[in-house]
Every structure is written in structure tokens, then in C-alpha cells.
């Protein structure tokens, strides 16, 4: 059976399809350049941050938006409806698992340590919460990107309650957490039953606060996963019906692991490149059925 590696952004320029049905399933094919795959042959799909469809430049804005909606409800829904297909991960499961408020609750329920957290748009409540913690950190609830004249990430930020802008706080929801003192961060990549944990040692103040802010300051070290964390990670994945998860933990000077978040569609390539861990092979094994996720 051929493997079809394509980006849905290449529809309709390089990727095309045809399907008839429905019956018990849709029958048809996907065609990408010179590669053709029967829909009946599709057994697994690796869903990795697909970009938007690319349409011809002559389409106007409203026509382009209509074409994109039709493509999503046609090609997208067709692939989603294929029976018996393993997804890493299914888009609807990814969507369910992206809400950090839900992540924190589920992590606590499966036995992980979770920082005390306040979600609010009331500055008075932020000040009251700040009095109960030794250090207050702001973290965005959604994708931490602002696009204006330039695109920039929003990193975890230490907050002085005296500097809060009450009007800005009132505008939308915000997440505040207690700061957990740490020896190092851990990125734990879970692929089915296989866990790849890497300590991220920060050599700069910015990276110590949020390791995403200064990649050049990192050193990486594969570490063992405590058994209770492995069990909690497995339970977390089951709760969200995920095959893959990129978990972020902090490890305290006493060796305790604290859950921060899990990206159900997170990056792992740079970790594999720095450490030589066989994460790509693990993903391939799951997709081809050489290992199972049950």
C-alpha cells in the first residue's frame, strides 16, 4: 500500500480527490502529483498542523472564503469520515484537548501536581490571589501569538500585582499561576505507550522563566520518567482519547514533577535532533501498526 504524504494546503493545485457513496463508506481516491491512493487503503492519518488551502490568486476574498469552506466540508469531512482510521491525533480530539482550563483539571484528576491557578478578568481577584502565592506568573490561555506589524510570542511573565492595569485585565480572560521553583523543565513526548522525556536546562534568565524564549540557552538531557508520572500521562491521554501528546513539566529541586500543559499537536523534531531519541520511528510505528495504542 502506498504512503501518501501531502499537505491539504496543496488542494486544489497538487491534491485532488473523487468519492462516491455513501453506502457503508465513501469509495474513491486521493491523487497527489503522480501518487494515487484508494480511500479504502487509508488506515492511518498523521494530522500535523495543516495550513490553509491555497487557491488561485484571481479569486476574490469572498469567493476564496466560500471555496475554503467548501473544501473543508468536502475534502476535510471526507477524510474525517473514513471508518477504522487511526488518527495521530484526530482533529476533534485535538480541539477538545487544547483548552488549558480543561487540561489542568484533567491533569489534577489523574494524579499530577498542578500549580494553583486563577482564571479571571477581575484585577481585584488577581491581587487577592497574589497574596496567597510567593510569586505570580501570567500565562496566555490560547495560542501565545499576536500578529500585527510583526508576529510575536507571548511568554510566561512574572507579574507585580502593583503594576496591574485594571482596565486591560477587564477586557478578556487571563490566566495567573503560582510560580513553582524548578531545577529544570521537562518536555515529555508521548507516542502511544512510548514516552520520551528530556530535561531542558536553561542558561539564561529568560529561558529559566520560559524556555521557549531563548532556545540558544538550552542544553538537553534525556531523563527517566517516574512510574507515577507515566501512569498519569497514560490516563491523561485516555481521558482525551489522544495517541500523541507533548507534555511540559517542571521538576523542583526536590525532584517533584509538576504539570504545566500538554500540546496535543506539539513539536518534537528539535528535541529528536538534539538528543537522537527515536520519536519519528515511534510515530511511524504507530501509524503503520507495528505498535498499538490500546
Amino acid at each position: 500500500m502506498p504512503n501518501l504524504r501531502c499537505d491539504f494546503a496543496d488542494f486544489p493545485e497538487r491534491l485532488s480527490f473523487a468519492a462516491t457513496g455513501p453506502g457503508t463508506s465513501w469509495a474513491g481516491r486521493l491523487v497527489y502529483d503522480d501518487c494515487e491512493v484508494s480511500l479504502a487503503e487509508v488506515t492511518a492519518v498523521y494530522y500535523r498542523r495543516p495550513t490553509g488551502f491555497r487557491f488561485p490568486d484571481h479569486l476574490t476574498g469572498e469567493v476564496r472564503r466560500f471555496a475554503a469552506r467548501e473544501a473543508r466540508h468536502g475534502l476535510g469531512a471526507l477524510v474525517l469520515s473514513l471508518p477504522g482510521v487511526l488518527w495521530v491525533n484526530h482533529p476533534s480530539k485535538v480541539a477538545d484537548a487544547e483548552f488549558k482550563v480543561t487540561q489542568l483539571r484533567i491533569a489534577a484528576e489523574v494524579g499530577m501536581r498542578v500549580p494553583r491557578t486563577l482564571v479571571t478578568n477581575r484585577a481585584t481577584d488577581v491581587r487577592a490571589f497574589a497574596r496567597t502565592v510567593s510569586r505570580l506568573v501570567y500565562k496566555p490561555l490560547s495560542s501565545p501569538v499576536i500578529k500585527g506589524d510583526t508576529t510575536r510570542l507571548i511568554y510566561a511573565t512574572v507579574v507585580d500585582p502593583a503594576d496591574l492595569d485594571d482596565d486591560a485585565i477587564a477586557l478578556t480572560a487571563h490566566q495567573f499561576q503560582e510560580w513553582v521553583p524548578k531545577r529544570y523543565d521537562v518536555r515529555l513526548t508521548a507516542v502511544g505507550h512510548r514516552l520520551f522525556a528530556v530535561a531542558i536546562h536553561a542558561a539564561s534568565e529568560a529561558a529559566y522563566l520560559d524556555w521557549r524564549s531563548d532556545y540558544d540557552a538550552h542544553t538537553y538531557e534525556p531523563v527517566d520518567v517516574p512510574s507515577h508520572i507515566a501512569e498519569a500521562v497514560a490516563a491523561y491521554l485516555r481521558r482525551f482519547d489522544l495517541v500523541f501528546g507533548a507534555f511540559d513539566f517542571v521538576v523542583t529541586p526536590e525532584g517533584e514533577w509538576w504539570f504545566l500543559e500538554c500540546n496535543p499537536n506539539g513539536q518534537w523534531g528539535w528535541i529528536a535532533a538534539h538528543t537522537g531519541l527515536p520519536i519519528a520511528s515511534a510515530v511511524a510505528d504507530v501509524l503503520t501498526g507495528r505498535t498499538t495504542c490500546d
Side-chain angles (χ1 to χ4, degrees):
M1 182 185 73
N3 292 318
L4 181 63
R5 182 182 183 278
C6 64
D7 187 333
F8 272 21
D10 289 325
F11 176 82
E13 293 183 350
R14 298 175 62 188
L15 174 65
S16 61
F17 75 101
T20 57
T24 57
S25 182
W26 290 89
R29 64 190 184 277
L30 298 171
V31 181
Y32 189 73
D33 291 339
D34 296 328
C35 180
E36 182 172 320
V37 174
S38 166
L39 293 175
E41 294 179 305
V42 178
T43 59
V45 178
Y46 183 42
Y47 179 78
R48 179 71 180 96
R49 292 186 177 180
T51 52
F53 302 106
R54 286 193 286 264
F55 295 104
D57 292 339
H58 68 268
L59 294 185
T60 62
E62 189 55 43
V63 172
R64 185 180 300 274
R65 286 187 287 273
F66 171 77
R69 290 194 299 269
E70 292 297 288
R72 176 172 173 267
H73 285 264
L75 174 59
L78 176 67
V79 176
L80 286 172
S81 72
L82 295 177
V85 170
L86 172 69
W87 284 80
V88 182
N89 288 305
H90 193 284
S92 65
K93 306 301 181 183
V94 170
D96 291 342
E98 284 183 328
F99 293 105
K100 292 185 180 179
V101 169
T102 309
Q103 289 185 19
L104 296 171
R105 178 178 63 82
I106 297 301
E109 288 182 2
V110 300
M112 299 186 196
R113 291 178 176 270
V114 178
R116 284 184 293 165
T117 304
L118 171 69
V119 180
T120 186
N121 73 325
R122 291 169 51 88
T124 54
D125 287 83
V126 180
R127 294 188 181 92
F129 180 72
R131 290 193 290 270
T132 70
V133 300
S134 61
R135 198 178 190 192
L136 186 66
V137 178
Y138 165 78
K139 296 179 180 179
L141 286 160
S142 61
S143 178
V145 176
I146 290 180
K147 294 182 179 180
D149 295 334
T150 60
T151 299
R152 62 186 180 90
L153 293 175
I154 302 174
Y155 301 114
T157 305
V158 174
V159 176
D160 182 346
D163 295 333
L164 290 177
D165 183 333
D166 291 32
D167 292 337
I169 294 292
L171 287 174
T172 190
H174 299 78
Q175 175 184 221
F176 298 90
Q177 280 187 338
E178 65 173 327
W179 169 260
V180 177
K182 61 184 175 181
R183 186 191 311 168
Y184 51 78
D185 292 275
V186 168
R187 165 55 67 93
L188 187 157
T189 306
V191 186
H193 295 307
R194 300 181 67 180
L195 305 181
F196 304 93
V198 175
I200 302 175
H201 299 282
S204 72
E205 183 176 351
Y208 180 72
L209 180 60
D210 188 327
W211 56 262
R212 297 167 303 170
S213 66
D214 189 0
Y215 282 88
D216 292 338
H218 300 162
T219 57
Y220 301 93
E221 175 193 12
V223 294
D224 294 330
V225 181
S227 59
H228 70 283
I229 295 296
E231 292 169 3
V233 165
Y236 182 101
L237 293 177
R238 287 194 301 270
R239 291 288 295 272
F240 282 110
D241 197 13
L242 299 174
V243 175
F244 170 95
F247 291 78
D248 288 327
F249 293 88
V250 295
V251 178
T252 68
E254 296 76 27
E256 297 173 336
W257 288 48
W258 287 68
F259 172 91
L260 296 182
E261 62 181 284
C262 174
N263 188 335
N265 209 349
Q267 299 185 49
W268 52 265
W270 101 101
I271 283 282
H274 279 284
T275 63
L277 290 173
I279 302 175
S281 295
V283 172
D285 287 346
V286 167
L287 290 170
T288 57
R290 288 194 291 268
T291 60
T292 64
C293 303
D294 298 331

